[in-house]
Amino acid sequence: MKIKYFQYGKGLKKICFVAGIHGVENTGIQIALELMKFLKNSNLNYKAGILPLVNIEGALKETRENPVDGKDINNSFLNKKPVSLSDSEKIAQYVWDIAGEYEWIIDLHSAGFARYLPHVIIYEDRVIEDVKYFGFPFVVKRKTGKSGNRNTFLAMAAQKGKKACALELGGGQTVFIEDINYGMGKIINFLHYLNLPSGPKKEKLIKTDPDQIYLRDCRKIIKVPHQGLLFFRKRLGDEVKKGNTVAELLDTADFKLTKLNAQISGKIVYVRTKNNINSGETAFMVLAKRGGDNKGR
């Protein structure tokens, strides 16, 4: 299926939004659709582009990866073109050929079979002063994508000298309307900072607290030791201390519960929303409290 690309406004190519690289991240896709309405009804003196659904087959079959070749499209952005390209690499090349023409690239994500506390992901220090004007609760700098892969969309943008960030916008497969409204508000706040929407500006733009800008990835990821059913004792956004029980895992064979405890003190920023979970999959994440190398700007 052909990936749809929409462009609004006239003038310089200022900002491009990309969503649905992962097929089970519906909040990012829905926010892209809301952005299309917003930009269509705005008087723009610049060009804004939107690719609202990149992984069409994955969305239809509810898979993170591209089901055509089983690969993660976000790990398929190659600097050097091989003799032949996989389907995911062809899609990644198509996305880059469009998005790479813009000054800013915003990659919209959400949490698959889980829910994230909304935040910004960056690869480069140079965009910190800009992305804090989304006004999200925190910003995290990463060096690679999932599983240490360096062929990600953001890595390509950094290598090509483009300003870029990814937004984690809440629930993935399950969409929460409050995540849509919240995410849209933050993106519009950022557009006002860039002086992109025409008309009156907000009196005061919301910024991320400098103490909540993490220059290294301080999330502690808790994975389950075996297959089972997951039941939570804490909520997304709760503050926990090291050793607190966050969830319990039920082994359906012997009906025993295993406690899953926080391994650091901090805030719960990710919880799985699907009860059935396989061995090695992520149950929850805790973002460490400030300290050590976690210095803000």
Side-chain angles (χ1 to χ4, degrees):
M1 295 185 188
K2 184 172 176 58
I3 298 167
K4 301 296 184 182
Y5 164 56
F6 302 88
Q7 188 179 82
Y8 304 92
K10 298 178 180 180
L12 298 176
K13 291 185 174 181
K14 285 287 187 179
I15 193 164
C16 186
F17 296 92
V18 179
I21 281 181
H22 297 135
V24 289
E25 299 185 358
N26 293 318
T27 296
I29 297 167
Q30 187 167 336
I31 285 179
L33 297 176
E34 293 298 316
L35 276 169
M36 288 170 63
K37 299 174 190 175
F38 174 79
L39 294 171
K40 184 178 180 180
N41 294 320
S42 298
N43 182 22
L44 305 180
N45 57 5
Y46 64 94
K47 288 179 181 176
I50 297 186
L51 290 152
L53 178 52
V54 171
N55 188 359
I56 298 173
E57 294 293 341
L60 292 173
K61 295 183 179 179
E62 295 187 315
T63 60
R64 174 186 172 89
E65 293 77 17
N66 174 11
V68 174
D69 58 14
K71 294 184 177 181
D72 186 337
I73 295 171
N74 196 40
N75 293 341
S76 301
F77 289 84
L78 306 177
N79 257 329
K80 296 181 180 179
K81 293 183 181 179
V83 176
S84 61
L85 295 174
S86 68
D87 189 68
S88 291
E89 289 165 348
K90 289 177 182 177
I91 291 173
Q93 185 62 56
Y94 174 78
V95 169
W96 181 255
D97 287 345
I98 292 171
E101 294 184 351
Y102 287 81
E103 182 180 327
W104 267 97
I105 299 169
I106 311 296
D107 190 14
L108 307 180
H109 287 266
S110 46
F113 296 106
R115 190 181 185 189
Y116 254 124
L117 201 64
H119 62 281
V120 183
I121 297 168
I122 61 172
Y123 273 34
E124 297 184 288
D125 288 0
R126 71 187 181 104
V127 298
I128 289 174
E129 288 301 316
D130 294 313
V131 301
K132 68 183 182 183
Y133 282 97
F134 280 104
F136 280 109
F138 62 98
V139 176
V140 174
K141 181 184 177 184
R142 295 191 201 172
K143 293 182 179 179
T144 64
K146 190 174 182 180
S147 303
N149 194 291
R150 295 182 181 274
N151 293 325
T152 64
F153 193 14
L154 287 192
M156 173 71 87
Q159 291 161 9
K160 299 293 186 180
K162 295 291 182 178
K163 289 186 174 182
C165 67
L167 306 182
E168 288 287 1
L169 293 163
Q173 185 193 42
T174 303
V175 175
F176 299 86
I177 191 63
E178 55 266 34
D179 289 342
I180 303 299
N181 295 334
Y182 184 79
M184 277 296 296
K186 297 303 183 185
I187 291 170
I188 291 171
N189 192 74
F190 182 69
L191 292 177
H192 277 290
Y193 161 71
L194 294 178
N195 293 317
L196 294 185
S198 302
K201 299 178 184 178
K202 292 183 178 181
E203 292 183 5
K204 186 176 181 181
L205 295 175
I206 300 169
K207 295 188 293 184
T208 301
D209 187 330
D211 285 340
Q212 296 304 309
I213 297 174
Y214 291 77
L215 298 185
R216 65 183 179 92
D217 191 349
C218 297
R219 299 168 304 155
K220 187 65 176 179
I221 300 172
I222 306 301
K223 299 184 178 184
V224 299
H226 58 77
Q227 184 182 26
L229 298 178
L230 191 63
F231 299 96
F232 278 91
R233 300 291 177 246
K234 299 288 185 180
R235 296 172 297 184
L236 183 70
D238 280 354
E239 296 279 351
V240 292
K241 294 182 179 180
K242 183 178 180 180
N244 286 168
T245 298
V246 175
E248 292 179 316
L249 180 66
L250 177 66
D251 186 331
T252 55
D254 58 17
F255 234 65
K256 289 184 178 179
L257 285 168
T258 300
K259 290 183 178 181
L260 301 175
N261 299 332
Q263 295 182 12
I264 58 172
S265 296
K267 181 179 289 186
I268 300 171
V269 296
Y270 173 106
V271 294
R272 185 176 172 91
T273 53
K274 187 177 180 182
N275 287 77
N276 183 29
I277 188 167
N278 294 318
S279 177
E281 290 185 331
T282 299
F284 63 91
M285 301 180 193
V286 176
L287 182 68
K289 289 187 175 181
R290 304 295 302 167
D293 295 331
N294 306 334
K295 296 178 181 178
R297 290 290 183 93

